[in-house]
Structure formats: C-alpha cells, structure tokens
Amino acid sequence: MHRVVQRRQLSPNVTLLEVEAARIAQIRRPGQFVIVRLGGNAERIPLTIADANPAEGTITLVIQAVGKSTRELVALQPGQAIQDIAGPLGHPTEQIDSGHAVCVGGGVGTAVVHPIAQGLHHKGLKVTSIIGGRSREWVIFEQELRALGDVLVCTDDGSYGRKGFVTDALKDLLSTAGADIVYAVGPVPMMRAVATLTRPLKVRTIVSLNPVMVDGTGMCGGCRVSVGAETRFACVDGPEFDGHLVDFDELMDRLGTYREFEQRAAQCPDGPCRIGLTAPAAT
Amino acid sequence: MSSSLSPRERMKLDRQKMPEQDPAARARNFAEVNLGFPEQMALIEAERCLQCKDPRCIKGCPVNVKIPRFIELMTEGNIAAAAQSLLGDNSLPGVTGRVCPQETQCEIECIRGNKGMPVGIGYLERYVADWARNHRDQLATTKAPPTGRRVVVVGSGPSGLTAAGELVRLGHDVTIYEALHKPGGVLVYGIPEFRLPKKIVEQEVERLQADGVKIECNVVVGRTYALQELREQFDAVFIANGAGLPVFMNVPGENLKGVYSANEYLTRVNLMAAYEFPRADTPVLVGRRVAVVGGGNVAMDAVRTARRLGAEQALIIYRRTKAEMPARVEEIHHAEEEGIHFEFLTAPVEVLGNEKRWVRGLKCVRMKLGEPDASGRARPEPIPGAELIVDCDVVVVAIGTRANPLLTSTCPDLKLNPHGNIVVDEQGMTSLPGVFAGGDIVRGAATVILAMGDGKRAARAIDAWLAAKPHATTSA
Ligand SMILES: Cc1cc2nc3c(=O)[nH]c(=O)nc-3n(C[C@H](O)[C@H](O)[C@H](O)COP(=O)(O)OP(=O)(O)OC[C@H]3O[C@@H](n4cnc5c(N)ncnc54)[C@H](O)[C@@H]3O)c2cc1C
Ligand SMILES: Cc1cc2nc3c(=O)[nH]c(=O)nc-3n(C[C@H](O)[C@H](O)[C@H](O)COP(=O)(O)OP(=O)(O)OC[C@H]3O[C@@H](n4cnc5c(N)ncnc54)[C@H](O)[C@@H]3O)c2cc1C
Ligand code: SF4
Ligand code: FES
C-alpha cells in the first residue's frame, strides 16, 4: 500500500499527488514512469514520476483527470492509499553533456518535462522551457521550471504569456538562440508539430510517448509504436524516442482503440450495466 | 470399492469419462469446463491401474511422480496418504492435473493404453489434489529448522512457486519478487479460468505464505532492483521470470486497431478481468469474428476465450494440420465441441483494415506440407497463388513467446544462448555463482511441469550450494 501524503490541485483538471514509494524514490531517474493500480478491479495505468523525495521516501505524480481511472486517483485524499505501484519503468532520458536544451511541455506534459529539465540542469546544461495551456489557470509547473532556467509561457487565449501554441514560441527560439536538443512532452498533435518543426533544422528531438499500456514490462505488446521501420514496445524500449522517426498518426489512431469503452466507463462507473460492445469495425 | 479385484476384473473396467459442463452452455461462460470426478468414479478409475512391476507411466512423467503408488493408496481408501505421496513428488498437482499434456507424457506410456484406454492419471491426480486442498489440516508438513540463509526467487510462475515451497521447507528464508500485482505467472495471467480456476492458484500461494514464503508484488527485477543488488542482499538467487515476450507475425497491418498478442488479450481477460467490464475497469475488444493465429495451448485458450466473450465466430488459423497442433488433445476436442472453427494449412500474410484503421480481415495463403523440419514436423510451404481472405474484426496472434530481455539485458555477465535464454549447468546454476535459473527463461516456452521440475531441482541445488558455502558472507 502506498499512502498519499500530499495532494494539490494544480489546474482545473490536473492534480499533484505525493505518495509513499521509498524504493522508487531512491532510484528513479528522469524520464521513468510507474504503473499504478488503485485496487479492487482497477486498471493498471502508467504515470510519469514527476519528482521524488528520497529522504521522505515519496514520489510525485501529476495526474490529469481524463477518464475513470485518473478521476478515481485524483479523488484520493491524504491518508488514503494506492494499492499497487510498480517501477521505475522505462529507460531514463537520453541526455547530452553540454549545450542548450529546450524542454517543451503541453498541458500535463509539463509535469513530465519537469524531471527531464531538472536532470539537464543538474548536469550543467542551459535549459529553456516552453510551456503552454489553454489559459492562465491551466499553466502548471512554471515556478519549478523557472528555478532551472528561462521559461516561455504560451496560452491559447493569450490570458497569460504569449498568445499561441508552444510551437510558435519554439520556432522563434530556434531561429534566435537555437538549440542542441529539444524534449517535447504533451498531447500527440503537439509532439508531432514539434517534430515537424525541428526535422528540417536537424535538431535532435526526443518525445515521450503515451500509448495504452497494460503490464509495462514488455509482456503484452499493447504499447507498440512504429519508430523508423521498427516496431518498439514503448514501456521497455521507451517511453522516449527520436521524434523524427515516430509514426504519430499510428500512435494517435491506436490511442482511440477503447474510446467507446472509456465513454461507457465514464457513464456507468459501478453499474451492473452489461451492454455488449463489439469491435467498431463490425458495426 | 475393494482393492481385491483380479487383473481380469480390472481390465473390464472402462475409463471413466470426466463430467463436463454442457458445450453450448460453457461456450458462453468462464466457469471450469471439467467438473472433476465424484468419489465413486475416482475409485473405479483408480482400480483400473494394474500396479505394474515396472511402471512405464513414471518414466513418462517429467518429474517422475510415483503414479501407481498414489493410485494404490487411493484404492486402499487412504486418500490422505495418497495426497501425501503425490505432494511429495509434485507440489502443484491441482494445477498439473488440469494442464499437463498427459496424453504425451504419463498416459501415453501407460500399459493399459496398449489395449484400450490408458488409466486417467491426470484426472486422478486432480481428484487427489482437490481433496488435499480442502483437507490441508489432515496433511503433515515437515519443515527443517531455520538455516539463517536468505534466498530470493524472481518470478512467481510455477517454477518460482515450486522452488520457493521447496526452499522454505529446507529451512531457508525465502522472498519472491513478482513484477505483476498478483502472483502466479502464466497460471493467473495466461491460462483462463475455464481451464484453471484462479482460486486454485490463490490457495496454493496462500499455502506457501503460510509456510513462511514472503511474496512481494510490483517488483520488477532489472528495474526496481538490479540482479547484482539481489546477489549482495541474499545468499542465493533463483531466476524464474518466464518467457513472456510476445512474438508478432511481422506482416503489414499488424498495428491496426483490433490486433492483439495472445498475452495482451489473455492478460486483459484473465488478470484484469475484462470480461466483467464495466465492473472491472480494463476493457477488451469483443469482436464478432475473432481470428486466432496459432495452434498451441495459447491459441486454444485465446479462441475459446473469444467465444466466451460473445464472438459469433471464433476461428483458428493454423499453418499445418490438426495432427501437428501442439495443443493438448483435450483442449482441441473441447474447442471443437464449443463450435470453434479451424482453418488448417493457412498462413496470414497481411492484416487488412478499413478506412478507420480497424481490422476487417486477414489475407492468408494456403499451405501444403513438405519435408520435415528441425522439429521433426512437416514444414508448411505456401501454395503459389492460393490466397484467401478471412473476414474478422479482431486478430489474436498466438505464434509464440520468447525470453523477455528486461532482466537479462541489465546483467551482461549472465550467459545467454542466441535466443536470449539463460544458460544453466546440470544443477540449474547460471554463469554467475549462486544465481540459478529455471522454467521458461531457460527452456523457452515449455510446460508447467517442466518449469516446476526445474524449480525443485534448483531448490535442492541451492540447498547443497549454500551448505557448502561458509556462513555470514555475501556473494559478490
Ligand atoms: C509512459 C506514460 C506516462 C504517462 N504519464 C502521465 C502522467 O504523468 N500524468 C497523466 O495525467 N497521464 C499520464 N499518462 C497517460 C495516462 O496513463 C492516461 O491518461 C490514463 O491511463 C487514462 O486512464 P483513464 O481511465 O483515466 O482514462 P480513459 O477514459 O480510460 O482513457 C482516456 C485516454 O487515456 C489513454 N489511456 C487509457 N488507458 C490507458 C492505459 N492503460 N495506458 C495509457 N494510456 C491510456 C487513451 O488515450 C484514452 O483515450 C502517461 C502515459 C504513458 C504511456
Ligand atoms: C495461455 C497459455 C496457456 C498455456 N497452457 C499450458 C498447458 O495447458 N499446459 C502446460 O504444461 N503449459 C502451458 N503453458 C505454458 C506454461 O504456462 C509455461 O511453460 C509455464 O508457466 C512457465 O513457468 P515459469 O515459472 O517458467 O514462468 P511464468 O509462468 O511465465 O512466470 C514468470 C513470472 O515471472 C514474472 N516476471 C517476469 N519478469 C520479471 C522480473 N523482471 N521481475 C520479477 N518478476 C518477473 C512474471 O510476471 C511471471 O509472473 C501455457 C502458456 C500460456 C501463455
Ligand atoms: S503404466 Fe498405467 S497401469 Fe501401469 S502402473 Fe502406471 S498407471 Fe498403472
Ligand atoms: S505495456 Fe505491455 S508490453 Fe508494454
């Protein structure tokens, strides 16, 4: 059992949970994630380790409530517990030794980019973060990232920082200061847009992929993604890959596999509701 | 039932037929297919055994269970002693009695098979095991005094569970690290409820815990702990992490929505209870027509699961013929009874999708059998131009699994064979002193009983190795 020791609302739908996981707190490295299962008949879902406190034996999870499992997790109050946390999983972030790194975070991806920026900063790199959200209240982790370097904020409605997408800010930055490496974490369309922007400039771009996972140990293959000509399992070969080689269309498409189920789960959480569901191709 | 039948009388007894759920009903539920012998039938079946002087069945059994002995004790009315004898040879008889391919192991050797049907050894094993599970208090357990030695077992499949049980009885302090949130390995995530009820595995795990085995789930060795750390913290290590890496077909369209590996499909349904969605949170695509590619036990389990989930048609696509199918005969027979369709001599070459990238069919080529290959089975060869399209909306790929490199890739000193399996000596020891391995990670995808046999042998070898090793040092 992993007790929640702290809970903080970061934006209207993003919540920070600090939970006990002593071993993981000690050894996790930037870029790694855990598989979390609340208990009972709950799903196993992957969440990035946004931060860790080895002295206290806790890790920080930053969770965007998008469906049943994440909503149940963010409803946890301090003192309540998560039954299963396995990890740290995945490869740590590939880091360069010197130069200028640009970390681009969209939405909850900003929380995922944070440990990466932290790692780079501790290595002595110059770090610039570009983060975005719908409007001011959706921007998260700004202060934490400011402690590590420059931060450029973009909002869709212009209510805070620059009006526009993170890619607009990135484009300008690349043409002025330039970058040795770009890390992009966020919704698939954002990561694809970043990769499209950096590809002709030949700026190495690392993206953190979020396919549907089950075990997180390479056993099911459900998390497979196409990178270059190869099929890779994101949980063990990733989750970070060369953004210039990733087939984002396929990823986006596969993420929609369970859309109908997710809508139903959202509608009838505990019901004995037993509507038969078939693969959409058959209907 | 008296035990004084003459051989002639024994020979007159017919093999008892396992009571089963009706095929039409069971094709739509997840309850166990075989219902088990009632006492009367078990005793008649036991009387069929001739108590051979030179019993061939024992040699057929990969762990040499003293088969006629436990059967004899049954006929003497001493079921507790029968259980004691069986458990002495095989620590998970309730599992093997249900999933062993008896027809190619003990029963094929049974002398009664020369004329008529062999003794139903698997059914009797299951009967005795089920009795034992419900009468633990009547069974004596012996446990050696504590040795003060700590052994860690990686993986809680049949190999790890067997080794742990054996080691704890030898007096060692045993911890199992399991990557998933529930112990049991393939027995809980792969083999479905209708063949092996989860409760049986749970009870076996509880018994081990009662004997003192500590089980820690959610520990992924190679990630949560490095193997080297385990070597420093424990006196010996047994690696039994299975061969869980799914093999895909490597054909176009395999990443369309609706294509599963058998591991994913079965894990969603068994471990995560997706058949209860939305009461369980994990979903699985049901499919109207589900095509399962492969011919082994895994394929049979997947296709019968598809049927139970509600598929109108569930079919097997296999590139050889029924005779070459590696699945247990009983599973093939049960599948046929449940209305599973078989396409033999058929191999997929492409998964076809609709405009929304959902699976709509499998493009296949017809095969013919050619010369025998390395496995001794006839090699299937495509018939040029003989293509066909199998309509389906879900495809499950069950063409095998390989060693998962997650753990082994983190310890370069551990010697592997070219397939990625761990290399061990006759004692089950790896290239690293004090590190033993067994089960599928050594053999490649094999069987429950072989995995258990490895666990038992390794436990004894670990015991001997520890006895020869001075106390209070840690291996490095
Ligand atoms: C390596 C990795 C790291 C992640 N880190 C974070 C994080 O730090 N914070 C965060 O809020 N989210 C993170 N995610 C995404 C998070 O796992 C999903 O949002 C969550 O599983 C959704 O579950 P749900 O039941 O709440 O929503 P659902 O209603 O079930 O699904 C909503 C959407 O989430 C995705 N999803 C559903 N099930 C899974 C699953 N088992 N695995 C992955 N994605 C799924 C699908 O795209 C789906 O359309 C990460 C994903 C991956 C793969
Ligand atoms: C669907 C299916 C049906 C089958 N049917 C039959 C049958 O009818 N009869 C038969 O004899 N055999 C059958 N088999 C084969 C049989 O199940 C296997 O040979 C057997 O389970 C192997 O046992 P094992 O202990 O070596 O590994 P497994 O049972 O695979 O267990 C390995 C365990 O180790 C865990 N693990 C993996 N990596 C790590 C890690 N890094 N750290 C910690 N833990 C880890 C896994 O999660 C798993 O729990 C079937 C297999 C499948 C998949
Ligand atoms: S070979 Fe058959 S008849 Fe002979 S001892 Fe074994 S089970 Fe009994
Ligand atoms: S989540 Fe199962 S293999 Fe990656």
Side-chain angles (χ1 to χ4, degrees):
Chain A
M1 289 299 238
H2 305 265
R3 243 169 16 103
V4 175
V5 297
Q6 203 209 138
R7 175 184 190 281
R8 211 151 36 95
Q9 194 78 29
L10 299 185
S11 85
N13 73 342
V14 176
T15 306
L16 177 151
L17 293 183
E18 192 181 335
V19 299
E20 289 174 345
R23 174 67 188 174
I24 298 172
Q26 264 173 18
I27 56 164
R28 67 94 204 191
R29 285 162 62 198
Q32 291 189 298
F33 65 98
V34 286
I35 292 269
V36 171
R37 208 182 70 94
L38 184 53
N41 271 338
E43 267 185 295
R44 296 169 64 91
I45 67 161
L47 294 170
T48 305
I49 306 165
D51 206 346
N53 185 336
E56 297 287 326
T58 59
I59 59 170
T60 299
L61 305 175
V62 176
I63 308 165
Q64 179 171 17
V66 293
K68 183 165 190 278
S69 305
T70 45
R71 272 210 304 273
E72 287 176 355
L73 283 170
V74 302
L76 291 176
Q77 298 299 323
Q80 292 184 299
I82 296 172
Q83 185 166 319
D84 303 298
I85 300 185
L89 301 171
H91 286 296
T93 301
E94 167 200 321
Q95 296 184 345
I96 55 170
D97 293 323
S98 60
H100 180 207
V102 177
C103 297
V104 186
V108 73
T110 310
V112 179
V113 125
H114 171 249
I116 300 175
Q118 234 178 6
L120 295 164
H121 173 74
H122 288 149
K123 247 186 139 174
L125 272 83
K126 173 173 157 57
V127 178
T128 305
S129 302
I130 305 177
I131 60 177
R134 256 180 264 173
S135 62
R136 179 174 199 137
E137 56 183 355
W138 298 84
V139 174
I140 60 171
F141 271 78
E142 186 192 342
Q143 293 316 319
E144 289 86 342
L145 288 168
R146 284 213 187 278
L148 310 171
D150 289 346
V151 177
L152 304 172
V153 182
C154 309
T155 51
D156 296 358
D157 64 358
S159 57
Y160 185 52
R162 170 179 179 157
K163 180 171 163 48
F165 297 124
V166 285
T167 36
D168 300 334
L170 176 63
K171 195 172 178 180
D172 291 350
L173 184 73
L174 289 175
S175 63
T176 54
D180 298 300
I181 191 163
V182 171
Y183 297 89
V185 190
V188 178
M190 183 211 100
M191 294 191 284
R192 174 172 39 202
V194 169
T196 307
L197 188 66
T198 57
R199 191 178 289 114
L201 303 173
K202 299 202 166 52
V203 177
R204 182 149 178 80
T205 299
I206 309 287
V207 293
S208 179
L209 304 185
N210 59 342
V212 174
M213 295 187 175
V214 183
D215 57 298
T217 67
M219 181 269 273
C220 77
C223 64
R224 60 196 188 277
V225 290
S226 295
V227 181
E230 281 178 79
T231 294
R232 312 292 298 274
F233 291 181
C235 69
V236 286
D237 300 327
E240 293 176 7
F241 294 99
D242 180 343
H244 295 158
L245 300 177
V246 170
D247 183 340
F248 289 104
D249 291 341
E250 183 186 276
L251 173 64
M252 193 70 186
D253 179 59
R254 286 179 61 80
L255 278 169
T257 305
Y258 299 102
R259 193 148 296 142
E260 283 185 50
F261 290 82
E262 287 148 10
Q263 284 161 4
R264 270 176 64 213
Q267 282 156 13
C268 44
D270 313 298
C273 128
R274 310 275 299 157
I275 317 159
L277 243 202
T278 50
T283 50
Chain B
M1 180 72 43
S2 80
S3 54
S4 53
L5 294 185
S6 68
R8 180 186 288 266
E9 286 169 313
R10 284 181 205 285
M11 289 302 288
K12 282 209 184 105
L13 297 172
D14 283 330
R15 179 167 160 130
Q16 301 296 292
K17 198 177 165 331
M18 173 58 78
E20 303 172 344
Q21 261 200 83
D22 173 67
R26 73 178 192 236
R28 296 297 183 198
N29 71 42
F30 280 86
E32 195 175 8
V33 170
N34 286 347
L35 302 174
F37 278 156
E39 183 180 8
Q40 183 68 17
M41 285 173 86
L43 293 179
I44 295 173
E45 189 61 38
E47 292 291 0
R48 293 184 68 234
C49 171
L50 302 176
Q51 295 297 326
C52 303
K53 288 256 152 47
D54 179 21
R56 299 206 316 233
C57 53
I58 298 184
K59 294 185 196 112
C61 172
V63 298
N64 306 124
V65 169
K66 292 184 286 298
I67 293 161
R69 178 65 187 146
F70 89 78
I71 296 181
E72 183 179 31
L73 288 163
M74 281 180 80
T75 63
E76 288 169 3
N78 195 347
I79 182 89
Q84 205 84 56
S85 165
L86 178 56
L87 283 163
D89 294 331
N90 172 349
S91 60
L92 301 171
V95 173
T96 51
R98 287 171 169 82
V99 306
C100 265
Q102 288 92 6
E103 71 274 5
T104 62
Q105 296 180 167
C106 53
E107 292 184 17
I108 196 179
E109 297 292 338
C110 173
I111 204 83
R112 285 212 56 171
N114 293 353
K115 247 173 89 189
M117 297 292 280
V119 173
I121 300 172
Y123 295 160
L124 291 177
E125 180 179 31
R126 171 192 161 134
Y127 177 81
V128 174
D130 287 354
W131 182 90
R133 264 187 310 115
N134 298 317
H135 298 84
R136 280 285 162 216
D137 48 332
Q138 295 183 35
L139 300 173
T141 46
T142 51
K143 201 171 158 181
T147 60
R149 298 304 182 91
R150 301 181 67 226
V151 184
V152 62
V153 173
V154 181
S156 64
S159 200
L161 291 178
T162 304
E166 209 63 36
L167 285 162
V168 86
R169 273 185 286 283
L170 292 166
H172 304 298
D173 180 352
V174 184
T175 303
I176 300 182
Y177 283 148
E178 166 57 48
L180 295 172
H181 61 271
K182 205 171 168 189
V186 168
L187 307 182
V188 298
Y189 79 70
I191 304 181
E193 180 77 15
F194 57 83
R195 230 160 38 92
L196 177 65
K198 300 293 148 286
K199 198 161 149 273
I200 291 175
V201 184
E202 275 164 26
Q203 282 179 332
E204 296 296 350
V205 167
E206 280 163 19
R207 180 171 60 88
L208 284 184
Q209 286 171 320
D211 287 349
V213 173
K214 285 166 276 196
I215 304 184
E216 260 193 67
C217 289
N218 302 314
V219 176
V220 184
V221 177
R223 291 279 194 266
T224 318
Y225 296 98
L227 181 61
Q228 186 54 34
E229 286 173 279
L230 299 188
R231 296 183 72 200
E232 285 156 15
Q233 286 163 21
F234 293 87
D235 297 298
V237 182
F238 179 57
I239 303 176
N241 61 337
L245 187 82
V247 174
F248 283 92
M249 300 181 287
N250 248 321
V251 301
E254 217 165 10
N255 293 348
L256 291 167
K257 300 190 293 291
V259 182
Y260 285 114
S261 74
N263 270 3
E264 179 179 3
Y265 190 69
L266 291 168
T267 299
R268 284 178 176 273
V269 179
N270 298 326
L271 182 70
M272 307 309 296
Y275 62 94
E276 301 221 45
F277 186 90
R279 272 182 294 160
D281 293 347
T282 305
V284 67
L285 297 173
V286 169
R288 294 235 162 108
R289 288 172 56 92
V290 179
V292 176
V293 183
N297 285 318
V298 185
M300 286 307 120
D301 284 344
V303 79
R304 295 172 70 201
T305 294
R307 185 95 177 103
R308 283 161 171 77
L309 286 173
E312 282 157 28
Q313 190 171 55
L315 68 156
I316 285 283
I317 312 267
Y318 182 54
R319 59 192 185 136
R320 295 184 167 102
T321 72
K322 186 171 167 184
E324 288 85 22
M325 280 177 81
R328 293 177 77 223
V329 168
E330 187 179 39
E331 308 318 327
I332 300 171
H333 173 67
H334 280 162
E336 286 170 339
E337 284 183 343
E338 289 162 15
I340 303 299
H341 183 81
F342 292 81
E343 283 287 347
F344 293 115
L345 292 168
T346 306
V349 291
E350 183 178 353
V351 186
L352 305 171
N354 67 13
E355 68 290 346
K356 295 210 169 121
R357 299 177 52 102
W358 287 98
V359 170
R360 67 171 174 86
L362 260 185
K363 189 164 148 193
C364 300
V365 59
R366 287 284 186 214
M367 313 293 281
K368 61 176 195 287
L369 291 183
E371 295 297 305
D373 65 8
S375 74
R377 293 179 302 173
R379 188 194 300 277
E381 293 162 7
I383 304 173
E387 285 193 348
L388 71 155
I389 289 178
V390 176
D391 289 331
C392 56
D393 47 28
V394 169
V395 171
V396 181
V397 182
I399 57 172
T401 55
R402 281 186 296 143
N404 186 334
L406 179 72
L407 189 169
T408 51
S409 64
T410 62
C411 20
D413 297 344
L414 192 62
K415 197 165 163 228
L416 307 179
N417 74 12
H419 301 290
N421 297 106
I422 299 177
V423 175
V424 296
D425 65 16
E426 268 168 22
Q427 305 301 312
M429 187 142 91
T430 68
S431 56
L432 301 175
V435 178
F436 296 73
D440 281 4
I441 186 61
V442 168
R443 298 172 179 273
T447 60
V448 169
I449 191 69
L450 288 171
M452 289 175 53
D454 287 354
K456 187 167 181 171
R457 193 181 40 157
R460 292 185 179 159
I462 288 170
D463 188 55
W465 189 80
L466 288 174
K469 192 182 119 166
H471 257 277
T473 56
T474 48
S475 59

